[in-house]
Amino acid sequence: MLAARFHGAHQPLALDDVPVPEPAPDEVRVRVHAAGVCGTELHFTDGLYEPARTPMTLGHEAAGVVDAVGSAVTGWAPGDRVAVYYYLFCGSCRWCLRGRQNLCLTPRGVLAFAADGAFAEQLVVPAHCLVRLPEEVSFDAAAPLCCAGTTAVHALTEADVEPGEVVVVLGSGGVGLAVVQDAHRRGATVIAVSRDAARREAALRSGATAAVAPADAAAAVTRLSGGQGADVVVELAGVTATLELATSVLGRRGRLVLVGYSADSLTVSPLGMVVAEQRVIASVGNTLAELETAVSLAASGQLTPPVAATMPLSQVNDALDRLRAGEVTGRLVLHP
């Protein structure tokens, strides 16, 4: 089968012919119908970090159809439509038992990080990593839900967003637009911040009350919060400029949610944060239950991460170049 594989940083992904994987007794093989292209792929190809081994098939947003099941698998059959939870969790450690599979202590792998991922015609995962996909949700819509949509749900859940609060979203890519949608669904007043005019327009269509350039963010927050500052800031870039903006617009008891990351550092004033009783929350990925929630929200039309375009797997490097150049509003989806 064809797979797009990482062989080293600063190199294009290689389109390799690899053996079709066989499921272990507790695994299923999924024929991938759609695979989302996340900014995480750029962290690999640009050298911010590297997978556990090379070569590695990248891609962690996958939706498709069960193709084969292991001998010990029950409840799944070939032909079942599925979304794939990309943390291949153990199910028995203290964090899995608490429903925090994204913090699993002994994962079998994480797609693209320590297990071959979704940029392939087929992939194998433990059966407990599947979520049923109703007919109302297309494969193209489901793939971005597996990371972009669920990352948004997790971040806003961690921040305990309540109706009437002011939520600032710094970044309006695939995850950012999903955050805007879900914050709007929760009844928040949403301010989207992006340098790109097309992304600001997309944020307004996704439910933002205002969508502004970074230079206008402070004024927008002052106006829409009545001078109180933001209740929640979801930071999606992880670079110095947006981190500084995030802390500057945060109000009393404000929650700064760190989702994006880079090699830059966050610098805060303990005095300022203590006096205002502000909090910094880190949010990574999502839980299995949150993927189930995201699929349910998509089925009812309440969460639909925008698909910018679909492309064949053979054009994966073109997709990554477009993403790196900032030319994508929403999510690109590959068709293996």
Side-chain angles (χ1 to χ4, degrees), residues 15-333:
L15 293 170
D16 294 340
D17 186 19
V18 301
V20 173
E22 292 298 327
D26 66 341
E27 293 179 332
V28 296
R29 186 171 65 219
V30 175
R31 182 171 295 279
V32 181
H33 284 233
V37 182
C38 177
T40 299
E41 271 74 59
L42 297 183
H43 292 324
F44 288 119
T45 58
D46 294 348
L48 181 61
Y49 47 68
E50 62 183 42
R53 58 174 168 78
T54 54
M56 178 75 76
T57 303
L58 295 192
H60 58 277
E61 297 182 337
V65 171
V66 172
D67 181 70
V69 300
S71 58
V73 172
T74 60
W76 296 103
D80 287 344
R81 302 176 84 251
V82 296
V84 178
Y85 182 68
Y86 63 91
Y87 289 98
L88 310 186
F89 61 97
C90 73
S92 59
C93 73
R94 62 185 294 230
W95 293 110
C96 287
L97 293 175
R98 295 179 184 183
R100 296 275 182 170
Q101 298 89 353
N102 56 324
L103 300 178
C104 178
L105 295 172
T106 55
R108 189 174 304 184
V110 179
L111 294 186
F113 291 78
D116 283 326
F119 290 173
E121 294 176 10
Q122 301 191 67
L123 83 162
V124 162
V125 297
H128 63 220
C129 290
L130 299 183
V131 170
R132 293 192 185 277
L133 190 64
E135 292 289 344
E136 296 90 337
V137 184
S138 70
F139 294 119
D140 288 348
L145 287 175
C146 296
C147 175
T150 48
T151 295
V153 170
H154 184 66
L156 295 174
T157 300
E158 293 297 290
D160 294 322
V161 172
E162 297 181 353
E165 291 194 309
V166 174
V167 175
V168 176
V169 184
L170 297 179
S172 296
V175 175
L177 293 175
V179 173
V180 169
Q181 283 188 42
D182 199 44
H184 174 71
R185 179 187 69 84
R186 294 171 189 246
T189 296
V190 186
I191 302 170
V193 181
S194 177
R195 294 175 298 177
D196 185 83
R199 292 186 177 187
R200 293 196 296 270
E201 288 296 322
L204 291 172
R205 293 193 299 271
S206 296
T209 302
V212 299
D216 301 319
V221 172
T222 298
R223 175 171 57 86
L224 290 171
S225 71
Q228 298 301 304
D231 297 295
V232 175
V233 178
V234 182
E235 206 290 325
L236 297 162
V239 297
T240 298
T242 50
L243 290 167
E244 290 178 349
L245 176 57
T247 56
S248 71
V249 300
L250 202 61
R252 289 180 178 273
R253 289 191 58 79
R255 291 90 77 197
L256 168 57
V257 187
L258 301 178
V259 179
Y261 49 87
S262 71
D264 293 355
S265 298
L266 169 66
T267 302
V268 299
S269 164
L271 174 61
M273 296 202 78
V274 168
V275 169
E277 208 172 65
Q278 296 169 336
R279 284 171 281 168
V280 178
I281 300 167
S283 176
V284 62
N286 51 85
T287 68
L288 179 64
E290 286 164 343
L291 177 54
E292 293 170 342
T293 296
V295 169
S296 178
L297 290 171
S300 62
Q302 297 180 77
L303 181 61
T304 310
V307 175
T310 60
M311 305 171 70
L313 181 61
S314 60
Q315 294 180 15
V316 60
N317 289 305
D318 293 335
L320 293 175
D321 288 343
R322 288 180 58 184
L323 189 61
R324 185 179 293 106
E327 298 174 357
V328 181
T329 300
R331 251 322 186 247
L332 294 176
V333 172

